[in-house]
Amino acid sequence: MSILTETPIDLVPGPSSDRSEGQLLEVSMGPQHPSTHGVFRMDVTLDGEKVVKLKPVFGYLHRNHEKIAETESYLGCMPYTDRLDYICSITNNWAYALAVEKLAGIQVPERAEYLRIITGELTRLQNHAGLVGFLMQDMGASGTPLMYAFREREKVLDLFEALTGARMMCNYMRFGGCRVDVPANWLQQAQKVIDGFPQFLDEFENLLTSNEILMARTQGVGVVTREQAINAGISGPMARASGVNYDLRKVDKYGIYDRFSFRVPLGEHGDVYDRYMLRALEMRESIEILKQAMRDLPAGPIMDPNTKIRGFRPKAGEAYGRIEGPKGELGFYLISDGTASPYRYRVRPPSLINLTLLEDMCLGQNVADIVIILGSVDIVLGEVDR
Amino acid sequence: MLGEGILKGLTETARNFLGSYVSKDRLTTIQFPEERLPQIEATRDFPFLVYDGTEWEAGLRCVSCQICEKECPPKCIYIEKSKDKKPDATGKLQFYPTTFNIDISVCMSCQICVEVCPFDAIKMNVEFEMSSEDRFGGLLLRKEQLAKSNEYYNKIHPTEATAVDAALAEERAKAEAKARQTTEAKAATPAPMATPEAGETK
Ligand code: SF4
Ligand code: SF4
């Protein structure tokens, strides 16, 4: 790795042809490359099969989210947060609602907190299942694992649809609670999905965990050391796969996470295999949380009665609300000047920050490994570009 | 043993392949459009306007208060308020929208318009097969395309619609009772002087 970076690479006017050991090749992967996630582009410089330089290029999906939010009402921003990480709209809602609740000092009723945990953990389940499926697809296991993962994800999305009306753009949370209470039979349906999930995980792990090809492709690939992860501010499963014990559900105990007993899985090697394994283990912990939350779900109101939906004007001030999203620490920073729209609205997207280590992970690896390293980071471009 | 993991995985694929013949839970797809999944009740996609009775133009609940237009996050509702008032389904004089357009190519199905409407006049539809080659002809819905009867609303979202109907009926009953009270009170105001009790208290 270090030998290759010692000689400066001059890309202008192009790869030089007089290198005795051969030419460098500059490849542009994406934004329409079938194996990148979303519209993400990487300028990769290759020496044979080895990566010597990688420049991530993003911004193709930039939608001016933060600036638009400054012209919207506080409520009007909520459906836009769905579109950040569009796989996990409910956790985005949650982080934003948490920030506004901190800003305005709103209390959330008990039942709403439980519903938030239930929907939030279901979101984590379907995100991780989908991600592992995509990762296998990137690796060349065309279809099969992805199809199984999506089949299970559909069941969770059906639950979301029955509860919120939409499969992906749920727009479920409100400041001071949740928008709607569970419909009749929803809890039984949810219990069925939750009870069936461990069986799927067992089968999924039988299919993948000890597969020799998977191990050969992923072990020792794309290593992030503990120090690197901490220095780069990585969070979520990426950081925990490198052995950083940092889970906001334990650190912040936002909402009512302190009432649940669950473990935080940690990786040892920080390679792609650990990241896969960590997600599989996290899904099992999520199921534990879900079981406890379903058991303890109290009756009661789901909205703080003193919170206005329209004409909501928090006092001037600032607040930062953060949660442990399925991809990492998702934070919203809000400044209010007392008017109906935020004065400043800033998102801390876990995907973007986890992506900053991409070049370090890829240097010296093969081209084919770039794809799985990128897949294991778990990015959603809606959130990276905003 | 090398290859053991792969064999283990193959038994799983076999289990899923064979299982898909007996268990619906293992099926990954259905044959749309020949086969369709049952509609989930809470489903929403684009808004429509509810009218009471049989005449859509006379029965529109919308009183053109323009709250939804203001609150819609991507601002895809366009309303022109009438200058005159005309009786609504209950006979009360109300403003009405002369133009009510929703650009559903911009609409993001967030249902904030539904949440903020104080008159239960706008609700979410479930129709999704709306692809069109004509951006303005097919995707800019006008008042006449948006108007759907209360029966239709009851059909697509039964639970929600029943609750709305009950709340509206209660509101109307209250309003009527209040109106009766005020007319009675009006009729009674000149009376106290003449009544004997009034005279006694004096
Ligand atoms: S639909 Fe409702 S909110 Fe919108 S203008 Fe009509 S009455 Fe007002
Ligand atoms: S659903 Fe949302 S985007 Fe669509 S018209 Fe209503 S408020 Fe506007």
Side-chain angles (χ1 to χ4, degrees), chain A residues 240 244-255 257-258 262 264 322-324 329:
Chain A
R240 292 194 287 275
V244 184
N245 189 355
Y246 183 69
D247 186 326
L248 285 178
R249 290 175 292 177
K250 291 278 188 200
V251 176
D252 267 16
K253 300 194 172 65
Y254 58 92
Y257 268 114
D258 48 349
F262 62 99
V264 178
R322 58 180 189 173
I323 64 160
E324 181 71 34
E329 173 180 337

Side-chain angles (χ1 to χ4, degrees), chain B residues 47-134:
Chain B
F48 70 92
L49 295 175
V50 190
Y51 67 85
D52 293 308
T54 46
E55 286 289 310
W56 73 265
E57 213 157 7
L60 276 188
R61 284 182 190 168
C62 175
V63 298
S64 201
C65 68
Q66 293 176 305
I67 290 175
C68 56
E69 186 184 32
K70 184 166 161 279
E71 293 288 332
C72 170
K75 305 278 180 283
C76 64
I77 305 181
Y78 176 74
I79 301 174
E80 266 174 29
K81 193 173 177 171
S82 64
K83 299 271 184 298
D84 57 326
K85 291 189 175 185
K86 88 182 175 184
D88 67 358
T90 54
K92 208 161 134 207
L93 283 180
Q94 297 278 24
F95 289 109
Y96 61 95
T98 47
T99 312
F100 197 116
N101 293 346
I102 297 183
D103 188 344
I104 59 163
S105 62
V106 175
C107 171
M108 55 180 183
S109 308
C110 62
Q111 78 155 247
I112 283 185
C113 48
V114 176
E115 245 166 280
V116 297
C117 176
F119 300 93
D120 285 303
I122 190 165
K123 294 289 166 198
M124 295 310 266
N125 205 343
V126 292
E127 194 184 323
F128 58 90
E129 286 156 286
M130 308 178 95
S131 58
S132 164
E133 289 174 354
D134 183 359

Side-chain angles (χ1 to χ4, degrees), chain A residues 78 81-82 88-101 108 112-124 172-175 177-178 249 253-257 260 321-326 330 332:
Chain A
M78 187 62 91
T81 63
D82 287 342
C88 316
S89 64
I90 287 188
T91 45
N92 299 345
N93 290 171
W94 194 354
Y96 175 57
L98 204 70
V100 177
E101 279 153 12
V108 183
E113 289 280 21
Y114 273 92
L115 285 177
R116 284 180 176 191
I117 292 215
I118 292 172
T119 49
E121 291 303 325
L122 281 171
T123 305
R124 197 182 313 277
Y172 181 55
M173 289 183 199
R174 290 287 174 267
F175 327 128
C178 302
R249 290 175 292 177
K253 300 194 172 65
Y254 58 92
I256 47 166
Y257 268 114
F260 299 94
R322 58 180 189 173
I323 64 160
E324 181 71 34
L330 173 63
F332 280 80

